[in-house]
Amino acid sequence: MEKDIDECPELFSSVPQSPQISAVYDDTEELTELLAIYFKQGIEMGEYCLWFFPDEMIAEKAKNELIKSGIDLENCIVSSQLELKTAEQLPKNINLLASAIKELAEKGSEKALSGGFTGFRTNFDLKNSGISLKPYFKTCKKIVEMVSFGDNKNLILLCTLPLEELSGSTLLELMEENSIFIKRKGKWRYLGLPDRQTELENTLLKEKEDAEVANRAKNGFIMNISHELRTPLNSVIGFSDLLLEGAFGPLNTRQSKYVNNILLSGKSLIEITDNLLDISRLEAGERTLNYEKIDIASLIGEVRMSLFSHASNKKIAVELKIDSSVENIRADRAKLRQILYNLISNAIKFTPERGRITVSAFKKEGMLEIKVSDSGTGLLKDYYEKMFMPFSQADPSAVLRSGGAGLGLYIVKNFVDLHGGKIYVDSEVGKGSTFTFTLPVD
């Protein structure tokens, strides 16, 4: 069963046997349009509407759409028929979010009844890339069971999901749910149970295929441009080294300072280029490991020496604590070196002058455990999950001061996962951070 919203104005309220419905949107324009249709219908049906909006920009656009459609928005707000809240007021933690939604639903049902409204409707935007949607749908089901209206009262929860954040597993979960809306050929459509699997699967998989083609083109471009950048950058670094060594004659203090800045900038750019290449390879599916025997103490010492100039410029001491039980392990040398390099250089970047960094390694229950601790700025727990996402910074304000493209930790996590290990972070604002990763010894 497939219907157009334009052809059936009360579609949101007439979804068969399901007060909890879901919709997939491609961009903010689609989300804005969908929310305007959804709440317009609720207002016209005399329902109490609790509207959560992702940000002020989307809210303003959708409010304007409501006004254009003939809704007296100001009167709706004054009469408390429509309440507007920012999604930032909702907790990010799934357990806290579940209890918060239940509390809001209870209050909403009370307002709907006490205000003489015909029902209650609200919306929730689910942004959880790669995470199961089942806990959210389970929470919505409990809300529906908990909030009991009379025969003539309606309760509707609209869960919206951005298409770009739907993984394969969440897509399958979504197809198991009732009442799905998606925009096709310029019109919003409702996909019912009889043709749900074929219609939704074909539509969403086509969108995913198109996105994958675009992603492959992007990765190809990044790999090509990265290779092209490496040649001139290596020349910049090589000639800067020769100038500092006095190969073409001595430099005065001012010249040495400027050439050293060129050298550091060149090394920083080539590090970003290498990270871009690593990400492109990961996204292209290159996930093989070339195992060999590695002397851990020697490799850590090698990485420490390669970062010596970065640390010495800030007068940061990098201390090594390698337990005597740590000997050789089997791992991919290049990828393990990249893990260590990114973690230690990250620690140097966010540690103030005259700070201290400690790299420790020991065996624990058949695993090699390596810790990189610093006396840097530290992080809030809210940033822990975000820091391992590509092109994301844990603390944007700190990154503005220290630079960085937000690639290193994403690569670290992927390389640790490839080895069958785990990575953890423990941090406190003002007291520094400790990144711990484990790898199988055999």
Side-chain angles (χ1 to χ4, degrees):
M1 179 174 64
E2 183 177 296
K3 299 180 183 178
D4 289 351
I5 287 181
D6 298 338
E7 298 169 0
C8 187
E10 32 322 283
L11 184 59
F12 274 117
S13 301
S14 61
V15 176
Q17 302 175 345
S18 181
Q20 187 271 309
I21 53 182
S22 303
V24 177
Y25 63 91
D26 190 39
D27 52 30
T28 56
E29 293 298 324
E30 285 193 4
L31 178 60
T32 300
E33 182 182 38
L34 181 68
L35 293 178
I37 295 170
Y38 176 65
F39 285 107
K40 178 179 186 290
Q41 291 177 357
I43 291 167
E44 289 177 342
M45 295 180 70
E47 296 175 347
Y48 163 69
C49 299
L50 178 59
W51 178 5
F52 286 94
F53 50 88
D55 55 54
E56 292 291 343
M57 184 180 72
I58 292 177
E60 286 304 314
K61 285 183 179 179
K63 283 191 282 187
N64 289 334
E65 289 296 318
L66 285 177
I67 294 169
K68 286 179 186 176
S69 69
I71 296 294
D72 187 349
L73 187 68
E74 187 176 345
N75 181 58
C76 290
I77 294 172
V78 171
S79 66
S80 296
Q81 183 183 4
L82 175 64
E83 286 194 53
L84 305 174
K85 292 182 181 291
T86 174
E88 292 175 358
Q89 294 173 272
L90 292 172
K92 305 298 181 187
N93 182 284
I94 174 61
N95 297 316
L96 297 176
L97 179 63
S99 59
I101 292 175
K102 288 178 184 177
E103 185 180 346
L104 287 167
E106 286 177 334
K107 290 180 180 177
S109 62
E110 288 171 8
K111 287 188 178 183
L113 290 169
S114 63
F117 298 111
T118 61
F120 166 47
R121 69 172 57 198
T122 188
N123 69 297
F124 299 106
D125 196 41
L126 307 182
K127 290 189 176 181
N128 295 275
S129 179
I131 299 174
S132 174
L133 296 172
K134 287 182 179 178
Y136 294 94
F137 289 133
K138 188 176 179 181
T139 297
C140 291
K141 186 178 179 181
K142 286 182 179 178
I143 292 169
V144 171
E145 294 171 352
M146 175 190 66
V147 181
S148 178
F149 285 135
D151 293 337
N152 297 322
K153 302 277 186 180
N154 294 317
L155 167 66
I156 307 180
L157 303 177
L158 172 64
C159 295
T160 52
L161 303 100
L163 179 64
E164 64 180 13
E165 295 192 15
L166 278 178
S167 66
S169 59
T170 53
L171 174 59
L172 290 173
E173 288 178 7
L174 185 59
M175 287 193 293
E176 293 172 0
E177 294 299 317
N178 294 339
S179 313
I180 307 296
F181 293 90
I182 187 166
K183 194 167 188 180
R184 299 179 66 237
K185 299 178 181 178
K187 291 185 178 181
W188 284 99
R189 299 178 186 271
Y190 160 62
L191 300 181
L193 286 174
D195 57 0
R196 164 76 49 69
Q197 188 160 344
T198 54
E199 288 287 347
L200 183 62
E201 186 176 27
N202 290 341
T203 301
L204 294 184
L205 289 181
K206 176 66 169 61
E207 295 283 355
K208 296 290 281 185
E209 285 172 7
D210 291 344
E212 285 168 4
V213 169
N215 197 47
R216 283 195 292 272
K218 177 204 72 178
N219 288 336
F221 171 77
I222 289 175
M223 291 182 78
N224 288 334
I225 201 69
S226 297
H227 281 298
E228 291 297 321
L229 284 170
R230 283 188 64 87
T231 302
L233 282 173
N234 280 327
S235 296
V236 169
I237 291 169
F239 283 118
S240 298
D241 272 329
L242 287 172
L243 287 169
L244 286 174
E245 290 171 2
F248 307 112
L251 302 178
N252 60 39
T253 304
R254 195 174 185 182
Q255 289 171 332
S256 295
K257 179 183 176 182
Y258 291 152
V259 172
N260 189 59
N261 287 341
I262 293 170
L263 177 63
L264 291 176
S265 297
K267 287 182 175 179
S268 178
L269 282 172
I270 210 160
E271 182 182 333
I272 292 172
T273 302
D274 287 342
N275 284 339
L276 283 170
L277 277 170
D278 285 332
I279 285 180
S280 297
R281 292 189 185 108
L282 285 168
E283 293 189 351
E286 292 184 24
R287 295 178 177 271
T288 56
L289 295 174
N290 298 313
Y291 281 98
E292 60 180 289
K293 277 190 177 181
I294 299 171
D295 183 332
I296 291 299
S298 175
L299 182 61
I300 293 174
E302 177 189 320
V303 173
R304 178 197 185 194
M305 283 303 300
S306 68
L307 288 164
F308 177 77
S309 60
H310 288 73
S312 62
N313 284 337
K314 295 178 71 176
K315 298 179 175 60
I316 293 173
V318 181
E319 182 182 1
L320 304 185
K321 291 184 177 180
I322 314 297
D323 192 85
S324 58
S325 63
V326 175
E327 297 174 353
N328 296 338
I329 71 161
R330 289 186 59 79
D332 185 307
R333 173 179 288 276
K335 289 181 174 59
L336 181 51
R337 187 185 189 284
Q338 190 74 353
I339 291 169
L340 291 165
Y341 184 92
N342 284 350
L343 287 178
I344 298 172
S345 64
N346 220 46
I348 293 170
K349 186 186 300 180
F350 294 106
T351 299
E353 288 194 2
R354 302 185 186 282
R356 176 173 293 275
I357 294 169
T358 303
V359 183
S360 55
F362 53 92
K363 284 184 181 178
K364 183 179 180 181
E365 298 176 356
M367 303 289 283
L368 170 68
E369 189 165 297
I370 298 178
K371 295 187 176 187
V372 178
S373 303
D374 63 62
S375 58
T377 53
L379 295 165
L380 293 169
K381 287 188 176 179
D382 293 346
Y383 295 135
Y384 284 10
E385 187 174 335
K386 183 181 178 183
M387 73 175 70
F388 292 109
M389 299 293 288
F391 303 102
S392 296
Q393 287 89 17
D395 183 354
S397 61
V399 171
L400 286 173
R401 296 190 299 270
S402 306
L407 305 173
L409 291 178
Y410 172 72
I411 292 168
V412 165
K413 187 178 188 308
N414 273 274
F415 285 175
V416 170
D417 289 345
L418 276 176
H419 280 86
K422 300 287 184 183
I423 184 165
Y424 313 92
V425 60
D426 184 30
S427 184
E428 188 175 345
V429 176
K431 294 188 177 180
S433 306
T434 297
F435 285 84
T436 303
F437 72 93
T438 60
L439 298 178
V441 173
D442 299 319

